[in-house]
């Protein structure tokens, strides 16, 4: 529920909610409650503390830690200082973590307790980081976050960010083997909530003062950071889960009466398979929003029966600041064709289906999905060519997904034009996995594909051609890759082939490799 109108930036949102909802709880985390007034004061202190570190507007800071109220104080405080937060996926391997921290040129790194030892070992590889700060203390030689914050005054900083200024930099997997930093502005975050009047928003997106939101997805994803920020915008209580644990997830409903939550389908599956799930009172739950990867029809039916609330499927990407298309509860009808749809564009969002030459296609014709709205990212950090390939001069963003629109404007996802694999809501690009495996001395060539997986949606499979006379086991290859890339990117299976199929130009025919595993399915996403 927003009791104010017209915030120009997210910094303005925090200040306005402190005035409108001061004593109401903004965040609850492991027994610690922070009111909107306290959130405003704490984030003011953060802004002053960043300035005291000599961090100037436009510079980057990073956060390596699990979900916490501290993260949102840092994020909002950085926004008030016009400093850009770049959270790091803590599931990544050490070389990948170092790459992101160095790529964004972070001058300060805030580290959660689970990762202190890891960063001590990586510190020499982070030459640009001038300050290492422990978010929960206990790191000898490092400042403690609370003391660092509270050494500063709590009045508003003099800096005034502009709507176009970058608010957060979220890293997405890259087709070249390196992730790209998607720069999202204050205006990007506010574009959808400012599109039209409150009454024009879908009913599921109309928040009320008694809503309680569960922030369960990791903050290094738009589904975590974006969900938490939107709760602040609407002035509702956000309960923060440090990490997603299915059993603990159920406890939140009993303890806090959660009314809204966003999950990825893999997480939904883990929850419904908990025996205790049938004993939980979900009567306060109004809406379960889900996305980041497609969902099995059987799993959706199981979730509908268990939670008995409104379900909203969401489609979007980091580059669109999250959701731009939604399938509302009224379309979650058993047997309806629309259950296969991603949904319809939200207010303020345009969609188009393009052929390879960029021409718009008619309904039911499959092409690349493109979108235009105020939510489209500013661009990729220091990658102008990649930005130009993704967003054209008229602000049309090519998603890399293939699909079609029906006559009523419903979007259907058919396949991915890019080779990206989505496993458990995580984006994985074959190039990253291939680069890691390709360093093995016994491998001549390798191709990586996504295959159907009943739990994760898709699983990574490696197709390997060995050098003549060489032998190596699948187990050893997976272990070799694990030294270089995150566990969730590892192949679950490895097939050994005599040669990889290629076209006349020498390009690997991934579709040919994928075909046997997707036979009988009406779309090549799972």
């Amino acid at each position: 529920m927003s009791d104010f109108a017209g915030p120009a930036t997210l910094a303005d949102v925090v200040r306005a909610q402190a005035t409108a909802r001061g004593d109401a709880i903004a965040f609850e985390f492991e027994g610690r409650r922070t009111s909107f007034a306290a959130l405003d004061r704490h984030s003011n202190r953060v802004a002053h503390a960043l300035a005291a570190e000599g961090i100037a507007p436009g510079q980057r800071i990073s956060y390596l830690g699990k979900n916490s109220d501290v993260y949102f104080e840092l994020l909002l405080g950085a926004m008030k200082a016009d400093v850009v937060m770049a959270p790091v996926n803590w599931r990544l391997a050490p070389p990948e973590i170092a790459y992101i921290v160095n790529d964004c040129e972070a001058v300060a790194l805030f580290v959660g307790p689970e990762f202190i030892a890891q960063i001590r070992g990586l510190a020499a590889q982070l030459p640009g980081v001038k300050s290492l700060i422990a978010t929960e203390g206990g790191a000898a030689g490092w400042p403690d976050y609370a003391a660092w914050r509270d050494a500063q005054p709590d009045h508003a900083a003099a800096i005034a960010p502009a709507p176009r200024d970058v608010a957060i930099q979220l890293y997405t997997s890259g087709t070249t083997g390196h992730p790209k930093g998607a720069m999202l502005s204050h205006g990007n975050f506010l574009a959808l909530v400012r599109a039209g009047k409150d009454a024009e928003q879908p009913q599921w997106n109309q928040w009320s003062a008694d809503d309680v939101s569960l922030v369960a997805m990791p903050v290094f994803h738009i589904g975590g950071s974006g969900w938490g920020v939107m709760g602040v915008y609407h002035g509702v209580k956000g309960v923060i889960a440090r990490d997603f644990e299915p059993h603990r997830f159920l406890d939140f409903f009993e303890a806090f009466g959660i009314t809204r939550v966003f999950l990825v389908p893999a997480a939904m599956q883990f929850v419904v398979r908990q025996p205790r799930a049938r004993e939980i009172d979900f009567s306060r739950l109004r809406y379960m929003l889900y996305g980041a990867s497609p969902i099995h029809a059987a799993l959706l039916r199981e979730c509908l029966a268990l939670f008995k609330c409104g379900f909203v499927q969401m489609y979007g990407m980091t580059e669109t600041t999250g959701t731009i298309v939604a399938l509302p509860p009224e379309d979650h009808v058993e047997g309806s064709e629309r259950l296969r749809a991603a949904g319809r564009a939200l207010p303020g969002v345009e969609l188009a289906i393009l052929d390879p030459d960029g021409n718009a296609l008619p309904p039911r014709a499959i092409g690349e999905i493109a979108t235009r709205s105020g939510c489209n990212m500013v661009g990729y950090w220091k990658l102008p060519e990649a930005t130009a390939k993704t967003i054209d001069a008229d602000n049309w963003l090519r998603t890399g997904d293939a699909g079609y629109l029906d006559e009523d404007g419903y979007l259907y996802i058919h396949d991915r034009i890019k080779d990206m694999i989505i496993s458990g809501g995580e984006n994985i690009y074959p190039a990253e996995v291939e680069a890691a495996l390709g360093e093995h001395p016994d491998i001549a060539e390798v191709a990586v594909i996504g295959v159907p997986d009943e739990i994760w949606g898709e699983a990574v499979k490696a197709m390997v051609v060995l050098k003549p006379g060489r032998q190596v086991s699948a187990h050893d290859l997976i272990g070799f890759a694990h030294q270089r890339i995150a566990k969730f990117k590892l192949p679950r299976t490895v097939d050994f082939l005599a040669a990889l199929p290629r076209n006349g130009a020498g390009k690997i025919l991934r579709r040919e490799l994928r075909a046997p595993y997707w036979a009988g399915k009406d779309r090549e996403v799972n």
Side-chain angles (χ1 to χ4, degrees):
M1 183 179 106
S2 53
D3 297 326
F4 56 92
T9 69
L10 294 173
D12 296 332
V13 168
V14 181
R15 297 185 186 104
Q17 288 292 19
T19 299
R21 306 267 298 152
D23 293 334
I25 301 302
F27 288 117
E28 178 152 344
F29 174 69
E30 298 184 349
R32 183 166 57 218
R33 294 181 174 184
T34 305
S35 69
F36 283 99
L39 179 63
D40 187 42
R41 293 193 301 271
H42 290 176
S43 54
N44 283 344
R45 291 183 187 274
V46 168
H48 288 296
L50 292 173
E53 293 284 341
I55 301 174
Q59 288 190 292
R60 269 63 177 161
I61 61 172
S62 283
Y63 174 87
L64 178 67
K66 297 194 175 183
N67 291 6
S68 168
D69 52 353
V70 164
Y71 168 76
F72 286 100
E73 289 182 7
L74 278 167
L75 174 63
L76 296 168
M79 291 175 182
K80 289 180 174 182
D82 209 9
V83 170
V84 181
M85 168 62 79
V88 183
N89 184 339
W90 48 261
R91 299 178 66 190
L92 297 177
E96 297 171 303
I97 290 171
Y99 176 84
I100 289 175
V101 174
N102 290 329
D103 181 73
C104 74
E105 301 173 4
V107 292
L109 175 59
F110 296 82
V111 186
E114 301 89 346
F115 308 103
I116 298 295
Q118 185 177 62
I119 292 302
R120 286 198 190 281
L122 270 180
Q125 300 174 41
L126 308 174
V129 174
K130 308 303 180 187
S131 302
L132 288 166
I133 299 169
T135 61
E136 296 181 38
W142 293 8
D144 167 59
Y145 166 77
W148 173 86
R149 176 197 68 196
D150 293 342
Q152 302 299 324
D154 65 4
H155 60 76
I159 297 169
R164 177 69 178 175
D165 289 348
V166 177
I168 192 171
Q169 186 164 308
L170 294 174
Y171 275 80
T172 67
S173 296
T175 54
T176 59
H178 285 307
K180 302 187 291 292
M183 298 182 290
L184 308 179
S185 70
H186 293 263
N188 290 152
F189 274 94
L190 295 173
L192 282 185
V193 292
R194 293 188 304 195
K197 299 177 181 178
D198 286 349
E200 294 173 350
Q201 292 292 333
Q203 185 175 0
W204 59 264
N205 203 24
Q206 296 180 25
W207 301 53
S208 61
D210 66 341
D211 268 319
V212 181
S213 167
L214 179 58
V215 183
M217 295 293 95
V219 295
F220 54 75
H221 279 325
I222 188 64
S225 281
W227 185 248
V229 167
M230 284 299 101
V232 174
Y233 177 89
H234 290 287
V236 306
K237 178 179 178 179
V239 178
I240 300 172
R242 183 183 290 268
D243 197 359
F244 176 78
E245 299 175 9
H247 184 78
R248 174 63 177 143
F249 180 86
L250 296 174
D251 293 340
F252 287 110
F253 288 88
E254 289 188 319
F256 301 106
I258 302 299
T259 65
R260 293 174 180 267
V261 64
F262 171 80
L263 292 178
V264 299
M268 295 165 67
Q269 178 163 269
F270 287 131
V271 172
V272 298
R273 299 295 151 76
Q274 290 288 311
R276 194 165 68 89
R278 274 71 189 168
E279 304 169 7
I280 302 298
D281 179 7
F282 294 110
S283 61
R284 288 208 74 234
L285 183 63
R286 295 169 183 162
Y287 296 107
M288 177 166 285
L289 297 87
Y290 64 96
S293 65
I295 189 169
H296 288 295
L299 174 59
L300 181 57
R301 285 194 296 271
E302 191 174 357
C303 290
L304 285 165
L306 174 65
F307 295 109
K308 297 181 174 64
C309 65
F311 274 69
V312 184
Q313 182 175 180
M314 312 183 87
Y315 169 78
M317 53 199 301
T318 303
E319 290 88 340
T320 61
T321 322
T323 304
I324 54 171
V325 169
L327 187 74
E330 54 267 28
D331 284 321
H332 282 71
V333 178
E334 180 71 27
S336 170
E337 179 194 14
R338 287 179 178 170
L339 265 183
R340 292 187 60 252
R344 298 181 68 180
L346 293 178
V349 174
E350 297 177 80
L351 295 176
I353 306 298
L354 306 178
D355 67 14
D357 296 322
N359 301 309
L361 294 171
R364 304 277 174 179
I366 295 171
E368 183 172 10
I369 301 165
T371 178
R372 181 167 64 179
S373 76
C375 301
N376 285 356
M377 67 174 180
V378 175
Y380 293 118
W381 168 250
K382 294 194 171 182
L383 294 172
E385 292 184 3
T387 299
K389 288 180 180 178
T390 304
I391 306 177
D392 68 18
D394 294 321
N395 198 36
W396 280 99
L397 184 149
R398 290 177 174 265
T399 66
D401 290 334
Y404 65 87
L405 289 167
D406 70 10
E407 294 78 6
D408 297 316
Y410 282 80
L411 176 68
Y412 292 76
I413 310 297
H414 179 73
D415 198 351
R416 281 185 290 278
I417 291 174
K418 299 175 183 176
D419 294 321
M420 185 174 70
I421 300 163
I422 299 181
S423 182
E426 294 281 6
N427 296 346
I428 303 166
Y429 277 95
E432 294 182 273
V433 187
E434 291 165 355
L437 287 169
E439 295 180 24
H440 195 284
D442 295 330
I443 289 182
E445 56 182 354
V446 57
V448 167
I449 61 172
V451 297
D453 185 275
E454 290 302 313
I455 294 177
W456 301 105
E458 290 180 84
V460 178
K461 173 180 277 292
M463 320 291 273
V464 170
V465 178
L466 296 175
K467 293 178 180 177
R470 303 288 182 88
Q471 287 188 335
V472 64
S473 70
H475 179 269
D476 288 342
L477 286 180
I478 294 169
F480 178 84
H482 195 196
Q483 300 173 34
R484 291 158 175 79
I485 56 175
K487 184 177 180 180
F488 70 86
K489 299 178 183 179
L490 296 175
R492 292 185 177 261
T493 55
V494 178
D495 286 356
F496 294 92
L497 306 179
L500 296 177
R502 297 179 183 272
N503 63 14
K507 185 177 180 179
I508 294 173
L509 298 173
R510 293 184 192 277
R511 186 172 296 277
E512 188 172 314
L513 291 172
R514 286 164 55 96
Y517 304 97
W518 295 91
K521 295 185 178 292
D522 57 3
R523 57 179 182 172
E524 292 190 25
V525 290
N526 194 37

